[in-house]
Amino acid sequence: MGRFPEYYNLWHIAGHYALRGFAALVLIFLMLPILVIIPLSFNAEPFFTFTEGMLALDPDAYSLRWYKEIFDDEKWTLAIKNSFIVGFAAAILATLLGTVAAVGLASPWMPYKRLITALLLSPMIVPLIIIAAGMFFFYTQFNLVGTYTGLIIAHAALGVPFVIITVTATLSGFDRSLFIAGLSLGASPVKVFWDVVIPLIRPGVISGGLFAFVTSFDEVVLVLFLAGPEQRTIPRQMFSGLREQINPTILAVATLLVVLSAAMLFTLEALRRRSERMRGEGL
Amino acid sequence: MTDTATLAQKPLAPGLNRDDARSAAREVRKRRLQAFLFVTPLLIFILFSFVAPITTMLYRSVYNPTVADLLPDTLVALQEWEQSDESPSDAVLTQFAIDLKRLANDRTSGRLADEINRALPGMSSVVKSTARAVRRVDDAELAANGPALLIDANDRWAEPETWRAIKDAGRAYSLDYYLTSLDLERGSAGEIQARDTQIYVKLYTKTLWMALIITVATVLLGYPLAYFMANTSTSLSNALMVFVLLPFWTSLLVRTTAWIALLQTNGVVNSTLQAFGLRDDPLELLYTQFSTIIAMTHILLPFMVLPLYSVMRGIDSSYMRAAMSMGSRPLAAWFRIYLPMSLPGLSAGALLVFIISVGYYITPALVGGTDGQMISNIIAFHMQQSNNWELAAALGALLLLLILVLYWLFDRFVGAANIKLG
């Protein structure tokens, strides 16, 4: 019992282990649902549940047929293509506009800073169903409903707050005198922005872009209202799959998405460490 | 602009002449303009793509010109008519018969039928059948015998209630959709009264109640977890963080799918219960309020753990040790010392979870069944199925108001700038 302080009695120690056990249960609650779908996606039968053969670890009860199904079904391949097209375009648009704006917002001279920041962050707060309803009314007048352009604009608007937040956070560690030094040496603001600011805030920009991409990639409410059959994305396809006929193809897609988000998580973590290291050394 | 003005008027510092002050003011103006120019492209983009759509929607909740556009002449004639117990004059009925014939031939009488039906349920078939009846009658006959033809087609045209509904529906600007959203209606004398069927207030209450349950559940699960992670070694807490962040980064649809696989009649939970002989017949878990709450608690839990953890990480554990070494019981020490210090994280997480869950759509739509539906789902219903866009807009505006109030609280107590990601 050497690891506990002197004043600990049995109750303290019991409490310590109870806390530990409870935390473990919560972590299991968080992870288990996601882990359960992975083996289910290798089901040889068209069910959403473990068959007896699977529980007996019979190799014949497992198959890759639902993965093959994804790539044989035109609806899924189109959805995958659409998700990447819309996601990339929306992320690039949001990152470009958001990064430039964040530099302006970080300036101590920025007028109406509070109001404008609140306005630019508001897509994050307003419920998606309200955004979807409003955009549907408004975009119809510009013939943007049922087009890639409309969907990309809508998703870019959703991604903007994340870019603003991450880039502003990186800029808070940015020494503004570097900007002024660039200007005083005769470079134009745009040149200073590209050659001095961007390289220093790159980790923030990249993680903002990733957030914007994931937001679009995961978004389904706006797609439900604004996209036509030609622009169906992966979540939209999953949504109708879950409503109409449930089959393990959805589980196979879900498993691929879990793998993708794990990759995304590790990329972001690496970026965060890099950013911390750069700040630790550079400033 | 106030800074510039005060700078120019300020008493000058010794050794500073008026020209210096003016050039300093010019410099300030230039800097402000420069900063603003950086923000301008995004500002224009957000105004077009986001602010204008929301504003249009809010406008739509009070402005519906459909009937006013369809029946302009009838509505002018109706202006004379007081909302009394008598039917309007024959001139009004004749004008309406002529308008209805035109609409029937333009194939727009169906839209009129839908709009009037909203003001007075049951009118849809009356308008449609009358439109069919007057479609082929020639104009001279209509002008001479309009009122009789209408009343022959359906005797509801003789009732003042019908005309009151047309007059109500004919107002382009009205707050009627807000009345409907609050389960109120206008009575025969124009007074505001409660509707017979209470739908929306109940739904708002249910939505808030479910959001509250979800928030409490995430606190109960998230607080001990965040506490444990904040007070263990850095390497262990970094490793455990992956278990919180992976669900956070996993698609919403994937997590909802997982809950469907777990909770359905022949799903994992029921098969497990049966395999261990705990239940003979499967439990009905999916498509209930319970499944919505558990799936949303799972989805929103990281939003609670992340802000809590980042606050708790900064709390020095020696305070608790000091209290306990001086004989405080652990719970008393936690309540009087640790809880107040972790409150910023707790309120950030709780408000975040509450705000997000009040406006949630996808998970209730997929796992909610009938009694797990929330306010967002009824808005989507009026947008997509009943095509009552004005009511959808009014319900949305009330939801938006609710969210803004919550956000204002959030900003006041937590500070919106404190939102952290990842």
Side-chain angles (χ1 to χ4, degrees), chain A residues 81-134:
Chain A
K81 206 180 81 188
N82 281 339
S83 276
F84 279 99
I85 293 175
V86 175
F88 274 121
I92 289 169
L93 189 59
T95 313
L96 276 179
L97 293 172
T99 307
V100 176
V103 173
L105 286 174
S107 154
W109 306 100
M110 180 64 203
Y112 310 111
K113 191 187 275 183
R114 234 181 118 79
L115 178 73
I116 291 176
T117 310
L119 196 68
L120 297 179
L121 293 184
S122 57
M124 201 167 67
I125 307 298
V126 178
L128 280 168
I129 191 75
I130 294 176
I131 304 180

Side-chain angles (χ1 to χ4, degrees), chain B residues 64 66-68 70-71 96 99-100 103-104 107-132 156-157 162 165-166 169-170 177 386-388:
Chain B
N64 176 12
T66 314
V67 176
L70 289 173
L71 296 173
F96 179 73
D99 276 345
L100 191 60
L103 297 180
R107 303 194 175 279
T108 45
S109 55
R111 278 176 65 201
L112 181 72
D114 288 344
E115 293 290 331
I116 295 179
N117 196 53
R118 264 171 219 157
L120 183 63
M123 282 304 289
S124 176
S125 61
V126 177
V127 174
K128 282 177 183 159
S129 65
T130 315
R132 274 195 299 277
R156 288 184 76 169
W157 297 114
T162 308
I166 292 178
Y177 295 104
S386 78
N387 280 324
N388 193 345

Side-chain angles (χ1 to χ4, degrees), chain B residues 161-196:
Chain B
E161 189 193 23
T162 308
W163 297 98
R164 210 174 290 125
I166 292 178
K167 204 170 171 175
D168 281 348
R171 270 194 290 268
Y173 290 93
S174 84
L175 290 174
D176 287 359
Y177 295 104
Y178 284 94
L179 290 182
T180 312
S181 311
L182 295 168
D183 290 328
L184 301 168
E185 64 184 359
R186 271 183 220 283
S188 50
E191 81 282 7
I192 290 168
Q193 62 189 35
R195 260 176 199 269
D196 299 338

